[in-house]
Amino acid sequence: MKNRKTMSNDFSQYIKLIGKGKKAGKYLDFQQAQDAMSAVLEKKATAEQVGAFLMLLRVREESEQELAGFLTATKTKTMRSLSSLTPVDIDLGCYAGKRRHQFWLMLAIKTMVQHGYTFFLHGTSEPHSQRLYLKQVWQELGYEVSTTVEHANKMIATVGACYMDLAVINPALDELIQLRETLGLRSCANTLARMLNPSNAAVSLHGVYHRDFDLRHIEVAKLLNENNVACFRGDGGEIELNPERECIVHRVFNNHIESITFPQLLPSWQTKDRELSSAKLEQVWLAQQSDEYGEAAIIGTIAVMLYLIAPNSVEMCLNKAKQLWQQRDKNAQTQRSK
């Protein structure tokens, strides 16, 4: 059995490969990337090596081959832990958090659940980011957080959706995300968490903030022969359509990449709430308060999900989404109408 010094010496080869500068530095191939991330997740590298590795990657950005290798290593352990999970329709990795707009995504999910669709939600919180994360909203709206597969299955059966922390799904990956407080920057761990699809759902939908990262997610999915994966630049990086701008959804389906454009639904520069509050979500759900931006975000987000589940024209998906929202059971809390 190798001692820790030997293992850390083994890992140093990956740092040398990527850290030699613009001319001498190299990209890891798929197998090297898989082996390197396996070593990181299995704690076969020192804390100093992990920090150096992640920040070197951050400076020059990861290639699609590297991300594919990293993701394969990350999925291997994750899938074993959730092997008995009830199948769901859509997997949503919510890691960006909200700063400017309410978590309208939650009402889109709630509407879809009422019409028979099921969800597996996962995420984490970065306490010092000053963002509102889905877990908090989920709890404030009266839902329990799942800490076991058995509880998740119960939530899927009774509520139609469950939320589980990444710290439960893949603790080692969550530890990498939490290094942001120490390192000062996010790493590829945030990207891997979004791509994870731990529930192995029929549809995996990702949200990103930065330009071109959406298509990168899809290129990685294609490399790994994953089916029905989609990504778009959502509000603040979350999986929520911003109705103030045109939204391009990139998708890989049957090994073919396509891009679908959803139109701008509202003029830009809508008035923003001074504070983010789940109470506002409840009031809009109950039609006790109206919010033009919020309802457009909900309808647009539902339309994206409908397109991925049963492709149709964008116009028809938007019309159907509006219909589902208008027909929601405003008095329903946790029960499903399927």
Side-chain angles (χ1 to χ4, degrees):
M1 182 176 179
K2 294 182 178 180
N3 60 39
R4 185 166 180 79
K5 183 177 180 180
T6 303
M7 290 189 296
S8 64
N9 287 340
D10 289 345
F11 189 80
S12 66
Q13 64 178 306
Y14 304 117
I15 297 176
K16 290 177 182 177
L17 278 171
I18 66 175
K20 287 186 176 180
K22 291 182 179 180
K23 293 183 178 180
K26 299 181 183 299
Y27 285 91
L28 303 179
D29 62 29
F30 176 87
Q31 192 59 56
Q32 289 171 330
Q34 183 177 351
D35 292 344
M37 186 53 66
S38 294
V40 170
L41 297 175
E42 294 169 12
K43 302 187 184 304
K44 294 180 179 179
T46 67
E48 294 84 355
Q49 287 177 320
V50 171
F53 182 69
L54 294 177
M55 291 300 96
L56 284 169
L57 290 170
R58 169 66 188 244
V59 169
R60 68 128 162 92
E61 294 190 356
E62 309 82 10
S63 69
E64 283 83 3
Q65 281 285 347
E66 286 175 329
L67 285 172
F70 295 159
L71 186 57
T72 299
T74 308
K75 279 178 173 286
T76 300
K77 187 175 181 180
T78 304
M79 294 310 171
R80 287 198 296 268
S81 68
L82 295 179
S83 59
S84 59
L85 186 73
T86 299
V88 296
D89 295 312
I90 304 180
D91 183 285
L92 301 176
C94 304
Y95 291 87
K98 287 300 209 93
R99 184 176 287 166
R100 299 169 65 246
H101 290 289
Q102 306 288 349
F103 238 118
W104 300 113
L105 168 65
M106 192 61 224
L107 298 191
I109 293 168
K110 193 170 180 179
T111 303
M112 292 283 283
V113 162
Q114 282 198 350
H115 292 86
Y117 300 102
T118 55
F119 293 82
F120 183 86
L121 316 173
H122 51 103
T124 193
S125 301
E126 298 178 47
H128 296 278
S129 70
Q130 298 183 324
R131 287 175 175 261
L132 175 66
Y133 289 93
L134 183 65
K135 178 181 180 180
Q136 181 179 338
V137 177
W138 179 262
Q139 292 175 304
E140 289 177 353
L141 291 177
Y143 299 103
E144 296 178 354
V145 170
S146 297
T147 57
T148 65
V149 173
E150 291 74 20
H151 186 272
N153 287 339
K154 179 182 176 182
M155 291 291 289
I156 293 168
T158 58
V159 177
C162 70
Y163 173 89
M164 186 175 282
D165 270 329
L166 182 64
V168 175
I169 299 168
N170 192 315
L173 183 61
D174 189 65
E175 287 177 15
L176 296 184
I177 290 178
Q178 301 308 326
L179 282 176
R180 182 189 183 189
E181 184 180 347
T182 301
L183 301 175
L185 293 170
R186 289 185 174 181
S187 69
C188 62
N190 297 76
T191 300
L192 297 175
R194 286 171 165 85
M195 293 179 171
L196 196 54
N197 188 12
S199 63
N200 198 27
V203 174
S204 176
L205 181 56
H206 316 161
V208 296
Y209 179 76
H210 295 289
R211 191 178 302 276
D212 298 327
F213 269 62
D214 44 4
L215 190 53
R216 176 179 290 186
H217 278 234
I218 303 310
E219 294 285 357
V220 172
K222 185 178 180 182
L223 279 173
L224 295 176
N225 295 315
E226 295 185 347
N227 194 41
N228 213 357
V229 176
C231 186
F232 66 95
R233 295 179 65 217
D235 177 61
E238 272 298 352
I239 312 171
E240 181 183 293
L241 183 140
N242 181 343
E244 295 178 338
R245 67 187 186 205
E246 184 180 81
C247 177
I248 301 175
V249 179
H250 299 290
R251 177 196 188 207
V252 61
F253 185 73
N254 290 337
N255 206 37
H256 173 70
I257 293 177
E258 64 177 8
S259 298
I260 311 98
T261 301
F262 286 77
Q264 179 177 335
L265 302 177
L266 292 175
S268 300
W269 306 109
Q270 296 292 310
T271 302
K272 299 174 179 62
D273 293 323
R274 291 187 175 182
E275 62 178 0
L276 303 183
S277 166
S278 57
K280 172 73 175 286
L281 297 182
E282 292 180 310
Q283 290 168 354
V284 171
W285 176 264
L286 295 170
Q288 295 173 349
Q289 185 175 348
S290 62
D291 190 292
E292 186 179 22
Y293 176 95
E295 296 200 33
I298 294 164
I299 291 168
T301 304
I302 292 173
V304 171
M305 294 176 181
L306 290 174
Y307 181 90
L308 300 175
I309 292 170
N312 215 316
S313 70
V314 168
E315 182 180 5
M316 290 187 70
C317 288
L318 284 168
N319 289 337
K320 180 65 174 178
K322 185 176 181 180
Q323 180 184 7
L324 295 186
W325 171 247
Q326 292 175 339
Q327 293 177 351
R328 71 190 184 281
D329 183 352
K330 302 179 182 65
N331 296 315
Q333 297 302 316
T334 58
Q335 65 268 31
R336 297 178 61 198
S337 63
K338 186 174 180 178

